[in-house]
Amino acid sequence: PACSMGNSTSRLYSALAKTLSSSTVSQHQACLEQPDSARLDPIDPKDLLEECQIVLQKRPPRFQRDFVDLKKNAVSNHRPIRVMQWNILAQALGEGKDNFVQCPMEALKWEERKCLILEEILAYKPDILCLQEVDHYFDTFEPLLSRLGYQCTFFPKPWSPCLDVEQNNGPDGCALFFLKERFELINSANIRLTAMKLKTNQVAIAQTLKCNETGRLFCIAVTHLKARTGWERFRSAQGCDLLQNLKNITQGAKIPLIVCGDFNAEPTEEVYREFSNSSLNLNSAYKLLSPDGQSEPPYTTWKIRPSGECRHTLDYIWYSQHALNVNSALGLLTEEQIGPNRLPSFNYPSDHLSLVCDFSFNQDPDRLL
């Protein structure tokens, strides 16, 4: 259907359209070689959201998810820092390998799925965004998010399963984005995780940022551990390696830490216990949604594959509990919202739910260590 777009958005529409039509390599190259000025031209998030909604007008509206206030009368003298964690589902895997038997192929079309992903990000306006399974970094997320004011970092898997899929868009990997007006990058490390002294195919990004408002330093890390049952010991070794790296980067918990990730591990696994019991004094933010503050959510991913239904808690936001408070956390989708065919769907672009938390700094962190 023809839709009227005012002048303010027609210029922007071409920006979104440019990323829409980048399926072929030649177009992909052209996109990478755009002059910087075209990419630095800032975008108003409201305009981009409007563009996404035009593309999505035949899809059902976004689900309503509410933030749960978790502040225990904590007084904060600064704006909270909003952190979003999300495995967005690599396009090549969604279409090629993941076998979501109840999800119509139509629902996975990148042109529209991309807009659902962007709509979710724009709805929650994170200060820091941690993504896994990103295989459209160069043609979509980096060009658009950099124009929304984010500094962007991408670290692909050395050997991505996306590369086995015909007409893939390159390897998938982890990506980290932070708002340049809020934070200054102090240092950045791309970490290739090891297990039993061997380099593995899984990666992490860890960045030390300075909060411009408070002058406080903190470290933000994103990772995606090895998938599948039978690999529990391997994940445990990867977790140990990541923790060792983070101990060095945070000078043994002197610098507060937030770790976002798809750990591919239920809370019963060894790697979860390693993070819970680490000397970095980490807690899992989403436990705070449970009545006793001690239990993880019942699921963060829910899909149907040929082998059956998979409902698991695999995604986490860990934080230094002596130095940071969780002010609020975004509630998960209910079973009714998810619906009988589970995820992904026409309503929701990934098989994993996004997690979003608002953090504030404790006034006197050392006292609590």
Side-chain angles (χ1 to χ4, degrees), residues 87-91 93 98 131-135 172-173 224 262:
N87 176 333
I88 60 171
L89 173 61
Q91 183 63 20
L93 300 183
D98 270 345
L131 301 180
Q132 297 86 30
E133 289 201 23
V134 179
D135 64 348
D172 76 301
H224 187 187
D262 173 357

Side-chain angles (χ1 to χ4, degrees), residues 26 89-90 103 113 120 140 157 183 240 259-260 301 319 353:
S26 59
L89 173 61
C103 177
R113 201 171 78 82
E120 179 103 343
T140 300
K157 288 179 187 158
F183 311 106
C240 283
V259 186
C260 293
T301 176
Y319 69 101
L353 299 177

Side-chain angles (χ1 to χ4, degrees), residues 2-22:
C3 37
S4 68
M5 284 187 281
N7 288 343
S8 66
T9 55
S10 54
R11 177 181 63 81
L12 176 63
Y13 188 69
S14 70
L16 191 53
K18 222 179 250 165
T19 73
L20 285 177
S21 62
S22 53

Side-chain angles (χ1 to χ4, degrees), residues 220-248:
I220 177 81
V222 55
T223 194
H224 187 187
L225 301 186
K226 175 82 184 118
R228 295 200 175 69
T229 45
W231 292 85
E232 292 80 6
R233 285 188 57 205
F234 195 84
R235 279 192 284 279
S236 168
Q238 290 183 325
C240 283
D241 182 46
L242 179 56
L243 284 167
Q244 193 49 58
N245 274 283
L246 294 172
K247 280 172 195 167
N248 297 337

Side-chain angles (χ1 to χ4, degrees), residues 17-166:
K18 222 179 250 165
T19 73
L20 285 177
S21 62
S22 53
S23 52
T24 65
V25 173
S26 59
Q27 286 165 315
H28 181 56
Q29 286 312 109
C31 174
L32 289 182
E33 289 156 17
Q34 278 173 15
D36 276 354
S37 59
R39 302 172 71 182
L40 295 177
D41 195 8
I43 298 177
D44 183 330
K46 285 196 208 64
D47 290 345
L48 184 57
L49 187 56
E50 208 173 293
E51 292 307 335
C52 289
Q53 285 162 347
I54 289 165
V55 174
L56 295 171
Q57 54 192 344
K58 290 188 176 156
R59 295 222 177 190
R62 272 187 74 258
F63 292 125
Q64 177 65 34
R65 292 170 68 186
D66 296 316
F67 280 90
V68 179
D69 188 359
L70 299 166
K71 278 199 296 287
K72 307 209 171 38
N73 311 318
V75 190
S76 169
N77 56 3
H78 67 90
R79 280 185 299 159
I81 294 169
R82 178 163 291 181
V83 176
M84 183 172 189
Q85 147 59 29
W86 200 12
N87 176 333
I88 60 171
L89 173 61
Q91 183 63 20
L93 300 183
E95 287 188 307
K97 283 194 147 192
D98 270 345
N99 275 323
F100 300 118
V101 287
Q102 300 288 75
C103 177
M105 279 309 269
E106 184 74 3
L108 294 170
K109 279 199 324 210
W110 179 240
E111 282 73 10
E112 293 180 10
R113 201 171 78 82
K114 167 177 76 182
C115 290
L116 277 180
I117 295 169
L118 289 167
E119 184 184 44
E120 179 103 343
I121 294 166
L122 290 162
Y124 300 124
K125 306 186 188 73
D127 300 302
I128 299 170
L129 173 62
C130 293
L131 301 180
Q132 297 86 30
E133 289 201 23
V134 179
D135 64 348
H136 274 271
Y137 177 80
F138 293 105
D139 64 11
T140 300
F141 294 105
E142 194 275 341
L144 288 173
L145 290 170
S146 64
R147 294 174 64 187
L148 290 168
Y150 289 92
Q151 183 148 330
C152 313
T153 306
F154 176 63
F155 192 25
K157 288 179 187 158
W159 186 252
S160 161
C162 293
L163 299 174
D164 298 337
V165 178
E166 259 186 82

